Amino acid sequence: SCEGFRLEGFDARPPALSSMDPLLDVGGFGADAGKVARKAGRVMLQRMPAAEMFLHFFDLHQAPDETDRGGTPQLLGPSEAAELLMHEAVGRLTSLSVACRQSPVPQKWVGSSVALGFDCGALPTRSLTEASVRALLKCYIFDWGRSELNTLDAHMRLSQKEQQDRNQFWSYYVGGIDRLAFEAVYAYHHRFGNAGVWKTVTFIVHDFDSLSENDFLGRVTVPVCPTFTTTVQLSNSTERKTVESDFRGTALLTYSITWQSFPAGSRLKGAWRVQVLQASRLPRKDKFQLRTTSDPFCEVLAVSDECSCFCFRQITSVKERTLDPTWDETFELPVAAQPSELGRALDSAASGLGSIALDFMAPRVLPCSNPMRSGFTSTRLSLGRSANIEEDLARWRDHLDKFKSVHPEVMCLPAAACLSASIAERVDTMAVSQVTSNVESTSPSTVDLSSVEIAGGCSACSVGTFQSDSKGSCSCM
């Protein structure tokens, strides 16, 4: 389904995303294999929903850290770094939504894009100030080839039809920005908003398929508590019957769970470190490719109690052509030191926005589906909340609309800077093709910039779009 934008580029992809080969089940392209792979990869990104995009963008679980070295760590942990960067992204994107509402006249920004980026070459040191870590996050809007800057005088000279045209395109743009900010708020709320307990963690093993739906291999749910390395049996989707592999016995998964406290002064109290070690005796699912193997990856899904309803989700890398994969990947279920950090991020965009109730941020889980297919759909956990995301979006927009009438001279600085920097057509925008020349780092040799370029979606969508052609038709068809 169209969300009002599409993902056009993703540099420095995390290992989990890089392992998803869109041509895994296809071959025989010969000399054109590289060209076809690039095109297939672009299609995979364009069809990726925002929730999946943020899941991968802030995925630092495979970044080298110092957890197992003992002593006082000199680097921020993966969760600590991701929390600060995502907190900054929430403030920046929400500021952009607020700034769009404070524009005195509608704009026609056709083909404009949003870029997010941060230096992922190494985890930040604890000696850096919080402001320095936040400065690693880059958020710009750019690409004005088919756009115009509308002013109040120019707008009044337009005909009624031309004014309606500007209103329509502006609603597309603002709708896409709203959805992007909503997904960032949602991702932060569920990943870093839990200051209580994580109740259970579910391991779901899938077989990755590039041309069809991913195949289910097995699952198991365990309590979140200190657990030494343990091997458990995988069950079917209802967890009532074990999964049996042909002549090899019951499918197994090996994991461990430990608690890691963070130093005083951290924005996180600590994190449950869930280590997914390996699986064995998995079923064969690639029979249609005439293979006796699978391409397994493991989805880690943690939930809190039913009162707070927080939901954490991350995935491992895909292991190709094996029934006994070894992942040895560790995921952190963060526990916040203060439950009000999201409110502070929203307040940084507009004073008073952080006081809104977030009960509309209902837990929802995207199924691990084929990234090449056309219809990603969101499903919700059955935790007694609304399953209609359009209603949730409408409530989010209602909160943002309260800031429409704010006078420009009292516009918050983040919102004003977000628009003014873009309207001035800054040369140093974070276009994905030019990101490496704009990174500020004390160690340029280790710079690895994780960045995404987000462009338009389908203008027929009720949510809106960033990019459409001059006739308002869909440019992504």
Side-chain angles (χ1 to χ4, degrees):
S1 61
C2 178
E3 295 180 325
F5 50 83
R6 63 177 181 264
L7 182 60
E8 283 294 330
F10 201 134
D11 283 0
R13 303 178 188 183
L17 180 57
S18 298
S19 68
M20 294 182 175
D21 182 1
L23 298 179
L24 180 62
D25 299 326
V26 185
F29 292 104
D32 295 328
K35 184 178 180 180
V36 174
R38 287 191 295 272
K39 288 185 177 180
R42 185 178 180 184
V43 172
M44 180 181 74
L45 294 181
Q46 289 177 339
R47 299 190 184 282
M48 184 179 293
E52 201 84 359
M53 180 188 75
F54 281 115
L55 178 148
H56 292 298
F57 184 58
F58 291 104
D59 179 11
L60 298 177
H61 84 271
Q62 289 174 281
D65 61 20
E66 305 173 310
T67 304
D68 300 324
R69 298 182 185 178
T72 302
Q74 302 301 310
L75 301 178
L76 293 178
S79 288
E80 293 177 290
E83 187 275 331
L84 268 174
L85 293 167
M86 187 176 285
H87 191 271
E88 184 68 13
V90 167
R92 300 278 190 93
L93 293 173
T94 306
S95 293
L96 182 56
S97 287
V98 173
C100 288
R101 284 166 167 74
Q102 297 175 356
S103 175
V105 290
Q107 305 293 326
K108 188 174 182 178
W109 292 350
V110 181
S112 177
S113 300
V114 177
L116 289 173
F118 67 91
D119 181 2
C120 64
L123 292 172
T125 63
R126 292 189 180 276
S127 60
L128 289 177
T129 64
E130 181 177 314
S132 298
V133 178
R134 290 180 180 277
L136 298 176
L137 192 284
K138 308 297 181 183
C139 177
Y140 293 105
I141 52 179
F142 67 99
D143 194 358
W144 310 99
R146 293 183 293 159
S147 301
E148 66 175 22
L149 176 59
N150 196 14
T151 64
L152 185 58
D153 290 340
H155 188 72
M156 296 305 294
R157 290 194 297 267
L158 297 176
S159 66
Q160 183 178 2
K161 182 178 180 181
E162 290 173 324
Q163 290 183 1
Q164 291 176 346
D165 175 72
R166 271 57 175 181
N167 283 324
Q168 181 183 32
F169 275 89
W170 190 232
S171 68
Y172 290 158
Y173 186 89
V174 176
I177 292 289
D178 288 350
R179 179 62 182 265
L180 190 61
F182 172 86
E183 294 292 351
V185 172
Y186 176 89
Y188 183 92
H189 173 67
H190 284 282
R191 184 174 289 262
F192 298 109
N194 186 10
V197 299
W198 292 102
K199 186 177 180 180
T200 61
V201 59
T202 300
F203 303 101
I204 310 174
V205 183
H206 304 265
D207 166 50
F208 177 78
D209 290 320
S210 63
L211 296 179
S212 61
E213 295 289 344
N214 291 330
D215 296 311
F216 173 81
L217 298 179
R219 64 180 287 162
V220 62
T221 299
V222 299
V224 177
C225 61
T227 307
F228 292 109
T229 300
T230 302
T231 300
V232 292
Q233 296 180 336
L234 293 177
S235 304
N236 61 9
S237 57
T238 61
E239 299 193 10
R240 296 179 179 178
K241 185 179 179 180
T242 58
V243 173
E244 301 293 330
S245 181
D246 298 339
F247 308 109
R248 301 182 69 213
T250 304
L252 304 173
L253 179 87
T254 303
Y255 76 98
S256 68
I257 302 177
T258 58
W259 169 255
Q260 175 69 40
S261 296
F262 291 141
S266 173
R267 293 163 59 91
L268 300 178
K269 185 186 305 181
W272 289 101
R273 292 175 55 84
V274 180
Q275 186 177 23
V276 183
L277 293 166
Q278 62 186 23
S280 59
R281 304 177 187 172
L282 296 178
R284 297 177 298 165
K285 291 295 183 180
D286 288 341
K287 298 177 182 178
F288 288 108
Q289 288 81 36
L290 302 180
R291 297 201 302 262
T292 59
T293 60
S294 295
D295 307 300
F297 68 96
C298 184
E299 177 183 11
V300 179
L301 183 66
V303 294
S304 63
D305 57 75
E306 296 186 3
C307 295
S308 54
C309 293
F310 292 101
C311 176
F312 172 98
R313 176 176 174 262
Q314 202 70 58
I315 61 176
T316 69
S317 301
V318 175
K319 300 299 181 181
E320 298 181 10
R321 297 177 173 83
T322 179
L323 301 179
D324 304 292
T326 298
W327 291 293
D328 195 14
E329 297 181 23
T330 301
F331 303 85
E332 293 185 345
L333 308 181
V335 177
Q338 299 291 335
S340 56
E341 292 298 340
L342 179 55
R344 294 190 179 96
L346 298 178
D347 274 332
S348 71
S351 180
L353 186 58
S355 62
I356 64 174
L358 296 174
D359 56 337
F360 59 91
M361 291 287 173
R364 54 192 166 90
V365 179
L366 286 166
C368 286
S369 302
N370 168 25
M372 297 295 293
R373 71 186 179 91
S374 59
F376 277 94
T377 56
S378 297
T379 58
R380 296 294 181 97
L381 290 176
S382 56
L383 297 178
R385 299 295 182 86
S386 168
N388 189 342
I389 192 171
E390 294 302 325
E391 292 180 2
D392 298 341
L393 278 168
R395 293 181 61 185
W396 169 244
R397 293 193 178 102
D398 287 343
H399 289 302
L400 293 174
D401 285 342
K402 296 175 183 177
F403 299 91
K404 272 186 176 180
S405 58
V406 177
H407 204 267
E409 59 259 27
V410 294
M411 182 188 296
C412 60
L413 286 178
C418 202
L419 274 186
S420 62
S422 304
I423 293 174
E425 300 187 50
R426 290 182 50 166
V427 179
D428 60 345
T429 50
M430 298 288 290
V432 169
S433 60
Q434 303 169 342
V435 288
T436 55
S437 63
N438 301 303
V439 181
E440 299 176 2
S441 175
T442 56
S443 52
S445 61
T446 63
V447 166
D448 188 9
L449 192 74
S450 177
S451 59
V452 293
E453 177 185 344
I454 306 137
C458 176
S459 61
C461 174
S462 60
V463 175
T465 179
F466 288 100
Q467 181 174 330
S468 57
D469 62 25
S470 59
K471 298 180 181 179
S473 60
C474 178
S475 64
C476 62
M477 298 299 185

